[in-house]
Amino acid sequence: MSGISDNIERFILSLLSDQDEAIELQRNELAQHFRCAPSQINYVLSTRFTVARGYVIESRRGGNGYIRIVRVPSEMGDLSKIVTVQLSGEIDEASAYGLLEQLLRAEVITARECRLLAATVSENALKPFPARDVLRAGMLRGALTALMLNQEEDAR
Amino acid sequence: MSGISDNIERFILSLLSDQDEAIELQRNELAQHFRCAPSQINYVLSTRFTVARGYVIESRRGGNGYIRIVRVPSEMGDLSKIVTVQLSGEIDEASAYGLLEQLLRAEVITARECRLLAATVSENALKPFPARDVLRAGMLRGALTALMLNQEEDAR
DNA sequence: ATAATAAGGTCAAGGTCAGACAAAGTCAAG
DNA sequence: CTTGACTTTGTCTGACCTTGACCTTATTAT
């Protein structure tokens, strides 16, 4: 159960979750810890710690090299900005999921709402539609707009 | 009586019956156990462990892939009925709103969630799409399935 | 400066799974 | 005997993972 990549992901997340915004690690060291090829670390980073999910990776080569993983403090205060910037045109499934994840972290939506929205905009539900990226953007626009319109009522 | 498919069904049921809500298995492993083609497992799942019968399937491909079978608790039984009956084909905007309102009254979803879903399936968001009624059904199917799937986590 | 060393990055190849789909088999009802 | 629903198998595709060879960049020793 749970391959190496998943373990590495969990390990990194556990390091991050302890109130830290960013961590620094060494690729070879981590690879050795998990007994895997160093490039496996890159694989994990590029598939799981993406910008879409709110992470930024910095690194340096050579002596005293490092990999730094920064959790981007999701600046989600302004929903209308998201609507007009990220959702004006099209959005693919991965980016949409990333967006929803950030909204979740910023506590703009709940975990349940996140799952609900994810399901409705999933590639699976939208498969037969050629213009699904446009569609997806429109749907999320609608949802976020609905949120903004009803902020008062939700306050209860 | 009792072809291979029936045996596989019973086997899976026996795994589930032991107080477990969900089980995880590997397709090839199970296929080998029953000396059948791996795709036979898919056949059993798609004919016997359907949403209509109160099961939800999740899976992942690739290394460490799995198939997870979740039994939907009976309180959610109504949901699966809705999914298979009312949302099997198409649904127009008005009917969708009606359905959402019912779900709201039954306290299956919150007011916020209702608004969110309403926004994503609104005629407005789906206007440019000729087959929007099919689309709408697919989206709501996805959302309700997601609800069933995650009801334990929602308990928190 | 230059060379050696110590990092990390890229990419392609290969491996491991599950999904999709169609072809072929089985069997009961008419 | 034919038909049609159900079952079983086989093949191909694509998603996901792992590794290793080779490349680039930074530091340190000569």
Side-chain angles (χ1 to χ4, degrees), chain A residues 66-82:
Chain A
Y66 60 84
I67 294 178
R68 182 181 302 140
I69 303 167
V70 183
R71 203 208 312 266
V72 172
S74 48
E75 183 82 25
M76 294 272 130
D78 202 353
L79 274 188
S80 64
K81 200 163 287 174
I82 296 173

Side-chain angles (χ1 to χ4, degrees), chain B residues 35-55:
Chain B
R35 304 234 181 94
C36 65
S39 49
Q40 178 107 35
I41 307 302
N42 296 86
Y43 175 72
V44 174
L45 293 179
S46 66
T47 55
R48 290 148 163 87
F49 293 86
T50 61
V51 172
R53 297 195 188 181
Y55 298 93

